[in-house]
Amino acid sequence: MAQQVGFFTDVTLCIGCKACEVACKEWNGLPNNPLEFRGSYDNTGQLDHANWRHVRFVEEPTKNPDKPIAWSMMSDVCKHCANASCLEVCPTDAIVRTEFDTVFIQQDVCNGCRDCIAACPYGVIGFNSNTGTAQKCTFCYDRLQNNLKPACATACPTQSIKFGPLDEMRQTAAKRLDTLHAQGMSEARIYGDKEYGGLHALFLLTDKPETYSLPSTESAVLPSRNNIPGYLTATITAVFAALAGLIAFRRRGESKP
Amino acid sequence: MPNEHFVVPPHWEWYILLYFFFAGISGGAFVIGTMLRLWGHPTDAAASRLAFIISFPLLLICPIFLILDLGQPVRFWHMLVDSSSGTPVFKAYSPMSLGVWGLTLFGLFSFVMFLAAVGEGGYLRWRVLADAGGLVNSVLGKAFMVIGAIFGLFVAAYTGVLLAVSNQPVWSDTWTLGGLFLASGLSGAAASILLLSHRRREAAVTDGKLMEADRYFIVLELVLIVLFLITLGGLVSKVLGGGWIILWLVVLIGTLVPLVAEWRPRLVRQLPPVLVPVLVLVGVLALRAVIIFSAQA
């Protein structure tokens, strides 16, 4: 297996230039977004089949009358979870783990059932109605195979998106967190070292995960958690139904033609 | 407390709704046919045959809806076979994978019992079918039916578990859906048999027993609906709010009216014979519709 790779996205360095979005679209041949005003500089809206990077503009009200809105920008992407919900439910094995430990949807295998879309807790995967398949960030698999950095990390002008071996990214994230804590940013935290067995896209956040539309560590649970309770309830119901059938259908000698 | 996820809906809509509806009735009809054969009076055999004759054609419709819902319908077989290695694809913890295999195997049992019922009932006078019909009452035949009924229960129930094994709000926040879909599928199956037995005197002798069974299935369904709403906690407004309350009213009419009517046979005589089973079936469809659509709205 090749070396495990990872992203480390530092929201304190993101300036919202969207160079990552453009580079991603350009390299992967993704279509443009329709022109529409969403009431924010965030005119991408969400990750989907045509947007594999999304610079999220988090606008939070403050108590400072001179600066009533605080902005925080985060370049969001597929997290390539170690325990991936999408990979867990995929019934065709179209979603696989690559030699770089990233999560990849094989476009020639996917049949567009959309179970992965129902499972992804980050809303990363989108359905492409032109190809009839589910699509998401490939971690620039073709570039990785040729020893190139993913397009987004290459284009990022502020080094907000860093790319490298996963262990190295974790160390970089930990050091940066120490620095910010030393500077008094007590709210700074790393997201992705515990969730879903460890993410391949780590984030340095300056607020709680939900602010950035990321589930908390407690909410980062796999779909398979519901298998046993679901089937158990069905089995108990089946027992009651069989009992009902036994009572209703039993021979009582009263049924005459 | 429900988990907070930031998901997008999979846009499972009409095809999936119809699949869930017909799969529930098909599986439920096979189970009722088996129970009538195992525990019923010999005169209940006609209703049992009717149940098996309903089960298979309804099951045949199911893959059509499933395939039409796919983005790449011609790749439907990727659910069963690995397209590169040719080996079977089976993931026990993925209800969709398990369900496709369950549906395929149930198809085998449903098809054989359909032929046996046609043969036993003399609808087609082929020697092979007559022999198959004769096997129904043997120990082997009953064992075959019981195994088929287990698959029938699975097909009627797993669709609820499939919704739950996700990270979608509502669906993944309750453990009740597998049981709820099973109970309502059985109720819909009893109603379907009742709907067709009215015109067949030999099957109509079992109508009283079917109505009694349907009452129990409806009670089970109502208990599970209450548990479903309780388990949703704060998310309950997502399924009850807005226009969804209209569908819940249809569900209530499709459960409470048949319950009262079947408990008081005098009332049944005053109503057109097809009305009660039709109300049940509309309620079964509305229940699935409100659960599928409200969570994705």
Side-chain angles (χ1 to χ4, degrees):
Chain A
M1 191 178 180
Q3 196 167 34
Q4 292 187 23
V5 296
F7 284 127
F8 167 49
T9 304
D10 184 344
V11 303
T12 64
L13 298 179
C14 182
I15 55 171
C17 69
K18 303 183 192 178
C20 52
E21 285 190 21
V22 175
C24 176
K25 276 186 181 282
E26 201 168 8
W27 180 259
N28 293 295
L30 301 177
N32 291 330
N33 295 338
L35 290 170
E36 59 180 305
F37 182 60
R38 293 169 178 265
S40 160
Y41 282 102
D42 184 351
N43 54 1
T44 303
Q46 61 183 20
L47 291 168
D48 57 25
H49 72 279
N51 294 288
W52 297 352
R53 269 279 175 190
H54 165 219
V55 179
R56 192 180 290 283
F57 284 65
V58 180
E59 295 169 6
E60 288 280 294
T62 69
K63 290 173 185 167
N64 184 348
D66 297 331
K67 293 179 183 172
I69 297 289
W71 261 358
S72 182
M73 276 79 80
M74 182 191 88
S75 179
D76 200 6
V77 70
C78 172
K79 317 301 178 290
H80 297 270
C81 316
N83 300 322
S85 301
C86 57
L87 195 149
E88 186 178 69
V89 299
C90 176
T92 61
D93 276 347
I95 304 183
V96 293
R97 195 163 289 286
T98 70
E99 65 270 35
F100 304 103
D101 214 30
T102 57
V103 179
F104 182 80
I105 304 177
Q106 301 175 90
Q107 290 300 302
D108 58 333
V109 180
C110 176
N111 65 8
C113 72
R114 311 187 296 287
D115 208 4
C116 54
I117 297 175
C120 177
Y122 296 106
V124 160
I125 308 174
F127 178 71
N128 185 339
S129 54
N130 291 323
T131 61
T133 55
Q135 293 182 335
K136 69 166 192 74
C137 160
T138 64
F139 220 117
C140 281
Y141 185 45
D142 49 350
R143 292 176 66 95
L144 292 185
Q145 286 174 315
N146 290 283
N147 297 315
L148 292 169
K149 275 165 72 170
C152 54
T154 306
C156 180
T158 64
Q159 297 291 299
S160 171
I161 303 171
K162 294 181 180 65
F163 165 81
L166 185 59
D167 288 340
E168 204 176 288
M169 290 297 100
R170 285 186 179 135
Q171 288 167 14
T172 307
K175 271 187 203 163
R176 177 68 178 157
L177 183 67
D178 289 344
T179 304
L180 291 176
H181 280 171
Q183 290 173 354
M185 289 185 69
S186 57
E187 284 299 303
R189 68 194 75 193
I190 301 297
Y191 184 85
D193 48 358
K194 295 186 208 71
E195 295 74 14
Y196 292 105
L199 306 179
H200 283 252
L202 302 164
F203 294 88
L204 192 147
L205 309 177
T206 55
D207 205 339
K208 59 186 190 299
E210 293 89 329
T211 306
Y212 299 89
S213 299
L214 299 168
S216 65
T217 306
E218 297 73 38
S219 288
V221 285
L222 286 162
S224 59
R225 72 191 182 280
N226 286 334
N227 264 317
I228 290 174
Y231 287 122
L232 190 64
T233 310
T235 306
I236 293 168
T237 308
V239 170
F240 276 110
L243 206 60
L246 187 62
I247 294 166
F249 300 145
R250 72 190 185 282
R251 289 176 192 224
R252 284 171 288 192
E254 81 285 14
S255 292
K256 296 270 162 54
Chain B
M1 190 182 160
N3 293 299
E4 189 179 13
H5 293 131
F6 298 88
V7 296
V8 289
H11 296 292
W12 287 336
E13 293 168 357
W14 292 100
Y15 289 135
I16 296 302
L17 168 64
L18 292 171
Y19 164 60
F20 282 14
F21 178 68
F22 287 116
I25 295 173
S26 173
F30 193 102
V31 173
I32 291 173
T34 303
M35 290 197 293
L36 279 171
R37 198 60 76 133
L38 290 181
W39 301 321
H41 193 273
T43 53
D44 296 327
S48 167
R49 278 198 296 276
L50 200 54
F52 291 125
I53 288 170
I54 288 171
S55 175
F56 182 63
L58 293 184
L59 186 70
L60 273 185
I61 303 171
C62 293
I64 298 172
F65 290 126
L66 279 182
I67 290 168
L68 285 174
D69 185 68
L70 295 175
Q72 283 280 354
V74 292
R75 294 184 189 165
F76 71 92
W77 58 275
H78 288 196
M79 298 269 194
L80 293 164
V81 180
D82 186 307
S83 56
S84 53
S85 68
T87 53
V89 179
F90 176 74
K91 291 164 86 168
Y93 43 86
S94 166
M96 193 177 280
S97 176
L98 206 58
V100 167
W101 283 102
L103 203 62
T104 307
L105 292 171
F106 178 58
L108 176 75
F109 287 92
S110 185
F111 178 58
V112 170
M113 286 313 298
F114 173 79
L115 291 182
V118 167
E120 192 191 45
Y123 300 111
L124 277 176
R125 298 192 183 283
W126 294 349
R127 175 105 190 234
V128 179
L129 291 186
D131 290 346
L135 281 173
V136 167
N137 291 315
S138 68
V139 175
L140 196 67
K142 285 178 178 167
F144 186 83
M145 274 187 279
V146 169
I147 297 168
I150 292 168
F151 280 106
L153 287 166
F154 172 77
V155 165
Y158 94 91
T159 50
V161 184
L162 168 67
L163 295 183
V165 178
S166 68
N167 274 318
Q168 294 288 311
V170 177
W171 298 345
S172 65
D173 295 308
T174 179
W175 38 263
T176 57
L177 291 180
L180 179 55
F181 281 14
L182 174 59
S184 95
L186 284 164
S187 171
S192 302
I193 302 165
L194 280 168
L195 203 57
L196 294 180
S197 70
H198 285 299
R199 291 174 184 273
R200 288 170 180 76
R201 205 189 330 164
E202 58 170 9
V205 295
T206 310
D207 280 4
K209 289 183 178 182
L210 283 169
M211 283 186 205
E212 184 183 344
D214 197 19
R215 284 205 301 270
Y216 301 143
F217 298 147
I218 289 174
V219 169
L220 260 179
E221 186 183 343
L222 287 169
V223 169
L224 283 158
I225 286 173
V226 171
L227 288 173
F228 166 68
L229 296 174
I230 291 171
T231 50
L232 291 186
L235 279 173
V236 77
S237 59
K238 193 169 170 66
V239 292
L240 289 180
W244 304 117
I245 199 74
I246 297 168
L247 278 177
W248 281 110
L249 285 175
V250 177
V251 173
L252 279 183
I253 292 168
T255 47
L256 294 181
V257 172
L259 198 61
V260 172
E262 289 173 1
W263 225 302
R264 293 282 175 266
R266 282 182 191 175
L267 274 173
V268 179
R269 286 192 199 104
Q270 289 162 14
L271 295 171
V274 297
L275 184 65
V276 170
V278 167
L279 283 178
V280 171
L281 287 170
V282 171
V284 170
L285 189 65
L287 176 74
R288 281 158 174 73
V290 73
I291 291 171
I292 291 172
F293 291 121
S294 67
Q296 297 183 84

